[in-house]
Amino acid sequence: MSAVPLPIQSADQQRASLQQGRAFPIVIVGHVDHGKSTLVGRLLHDTDSLPTGKLEQLKAVSEKRGLEFEWSFLLDALQVERDQGITVDTTQIWFTTQQRRYVIIDAPGHKEFLKNMVTGAAQADAAILVVDAAQGLAEQTRRHAYLLHLLGIRQVAVAVNKIDLIGNDAARFRAVAESVRNYLVGIGIEPQAIVPLSAREGDNIASRSVNTSWYQGPTLIGALDAFTPRALPVEQPLRLPVQDLYRYGDKRIVVGRIESGRLKAGDRIRFAPLGREATVATLENWSGPDRPLPALTEARAGDSVAFTLDEDVFVERGALGSSPEHRPIDANRFTVRLFWLDKQPLRKGDRLTMKVGTAEREAQVESIVESLDVETLDAATAQQIERNGVARVVLRVRPPMAIDLYETLPRTGRGVLIRGPQIVAGLVIESAATRVSTDITAVDSSVTVQERIEMNGHRGGVIWMTGLSGAGKSTIAMATQRLLFSRGRHVAVLDGDNLRHGLNRDLGFTDTDRLENLRRLAEVAKLMAVNGSLVLVSAISPLQKYRDMAREIVGEDFREIYVSADIALCEARDPKGLYRKARTGEIKNFTGISAPYEAPQNADLVLDTAKPLEFAVTTLTEYIESIFGELPWHPDI
């Protein structure tokens, strides 16, 4: 890749900047008919946050049309402006109290817009839950409340609206307040205030109402001003999901957003799940050739960063950076709480994509532990989860991914499930099965490397042969193995296709599975090389990042050999009939046809298979001899 790293702008970054004092993000949720829009309009008016003349304009329009003015018209007018592109912001409404500035994150209340509600609420630090004084808690209100809990929003004020329509009845208010409080406490939310109010009349919004003299609590504005901004988790362990990598000149730049902790030059950073470590060389700060910026000394939670490393360890999008001392959990089996959004029910055995941060994995539903009734909060066994259902589910992902438990580090302990192009569930991770036991200790071999060299006459190594299908990798590898074996050498061939019949039979051909396939291949090759074998690996390994990973796993005794043959020659050979199937669509993601192949730019050796086989075998054998030790030359092939 070659691209210029640009400052990363995102909703999350905007939210982070808001937390630094510009505005306090809140979400207003509740049943669609309980007065949410009226409350927003009233908040704008009672805090003098409306544009000059806007109220008079709307009243005049209402009178002209013979309509009684309603405060919800203000929200409707703003919506019209947003739809016409008049206002800059498309999802946020601003108002200011004497204490601070607020931004209301748009969160549609209708049942069909729950996804939008989740998206909006995820950016908020606190919430107002609107409840109709006459109707009390509605099913949709319970769902919204549960989603607030699922998203980690714990600061909630309850607006018991339309108190005027029940005659400002104190007894009715107390009954509603008690039922709301009991429900919220049941799901883990302690409401900070439950306010009786009338959004239409302005009772208890910004000032106390004489109509509810029996109420001694704060006004709604007072309750909001009592909220505390959610602190950015700068003092927590470093978590940095890698968003991408860029090559800029001779620099290899890693970019991502710090979810927690801090990062500065000189810090040691570990990338999970592969566990590669390096030292941060520089924090980059660049806005263009004509606008150089001073070097950064430190980046903190909420910052999007670009940085270089002191060595080229294998890193890719989806890796999770941490300090070596405070690592995330490396696991492939999770128990999660989720909110199901798809029309198609969730069933045991379903295959989906799990996304946490920038990491995505294929996930399978191992079991549905229980479903939860959002009305009663009763748990029950279930065979499937219907739309808008809440459940506890066990997921198994492949390959393992780095995560945290939600209770420990919420930002890297929650994610979504994806089916096709659609997000179908939000989830938080309750527990995880650790993939690597900390009780395992490597056992030293009873035979040293030097002893093997003296016995074999050569040291072990990995000769990694890459090229298109049909390029001749396996043919050259087998012929070379025969020659070396006849000389009494410890030599073996690891063929990518052969491993897929056994060790890697559980893997497909997605990018994730291909990466895991080659990781296992490299690990096996390394073990064999450490034990003195010359290992000829025959694997397409189509992308340079895959081969870089293999080189890093094996270490200094890794050599990359490019078996060169163009696509036309390989397709003409087509020894397995795969190109024909790929052309007719029988095989998807076929390298060279429907999936990319990146030829090595700096291979240790290039073998041109347009030439006779003997030439390639001779060239490769001479190369192995020169690298891994004195191997007596034999002219017969």
Side-chain angles (χ1 to χ4, degrees), residues 552-631:
E552 187 178 335
I553 290 173
V554 174
E556 61 179 349
D557 287 329
F558 178 96
R559 295 295 182 276
E560 183 178 352
I561 312 299
Y562 177 33
V563 181
S564 174
D566 61 31
I567 188 70
L569 179 59
C570 295
E571 192 164 0
R573 292 171 175 167
D574 203 9
K576 304 172 185 175
L578 300 179
Y579 283 96
R580 178 181 53 77
K581 292 182 178 179
R583 290 295 186 188
T584 59
E586 292 182 63
I587 300 178
K588 308 294 183 184
N589 297 322
F590 190 79
T591 302
I593 301 297
S594 51
Y597 177 78
E598 295 175 357
Q601 298 300 309
N602 297 294
D604 295 297
L605 179 67
V606 178
L607 299 175
D608 184 357
T609 65
K611 298 179 180 178
L613 172 64
E614 291 79 2
F615 182 82
V617 175
T618 299
T619 302
L620 180 58
T621 303
E622 288 178 346
Y623 177 76
I624 294 172
E625 179 184 30
S626 67
I627 297 298
F628 296 104
E630 289 297 325
L631 301 178

Side-chain angles (χ1 to χ4, degrees), residues 17-32:
S17 64
L18 295 177
Q19 288 179 308
Q20 293 166 4
R22 296 183 191 173
F24 187 95
I26 61 171
V27 62
I28 302 179
V29 298
H31 193 278
V32 69

Side-chain angles (χ1 to χ4, degrees), residues 267-341:
D267 284 351
R268 195 71 177 165
I269 186 169
R270 177 182 184 275
F271 296 97
L274 292 179
R276 308 307 176 204
E277 290 186 17
T279 299
V280 176
T282 60
L283 294 181
E284 298 292 311
N285 196 13
W286 194 90
S287 64
D290 300 326
R291 293 186 298 168
L293 298 173
L296 292 175
T297 57
E298 182 184 80
R300 312 171 72 189
D303 292 340
S304 293
V305 294
F307 58 98
T308 62
L309 302 170
D310 66 339
E311 56 181 304
D312 278 352
V313 296
F314 179 77
V315 183
E316 65 172 355
R317 174 181 169 82
L320 183 60
S322 72
S323 69
E325 295 78 19
H326 299 95
R327 305 176 181 182
I329 299 170
D330 187 12
N332 63 353
R333 187 171 182 271
F334 314 99
T335 299
V336 305
R337 279 181 292 128
L338 61 79
F339 192 95
W340 188 247
L341 298 164

Side-chain angles (χ1 to χ4, degrees), residues 329-335 354 361-364 366 394-403 431-436 506 520:
I329 299 170
D330 187 12
N332 63 353
R333 187 171 182 271
F334 314 99
T335 299
M354 180 173 175
R361 295 287 188 278
E362 179 182 320
Q364 185 169 21
E366 184 175 291
V394 175
L395 299 173
R396 186 177 290 276
V397 302
R398 189 185 62 193
M401 68 192 306
I403 51 88
S431 64
T434 304
R435 183 171 68 100
V436 180
D506 59 323
R520 294 181 192 178

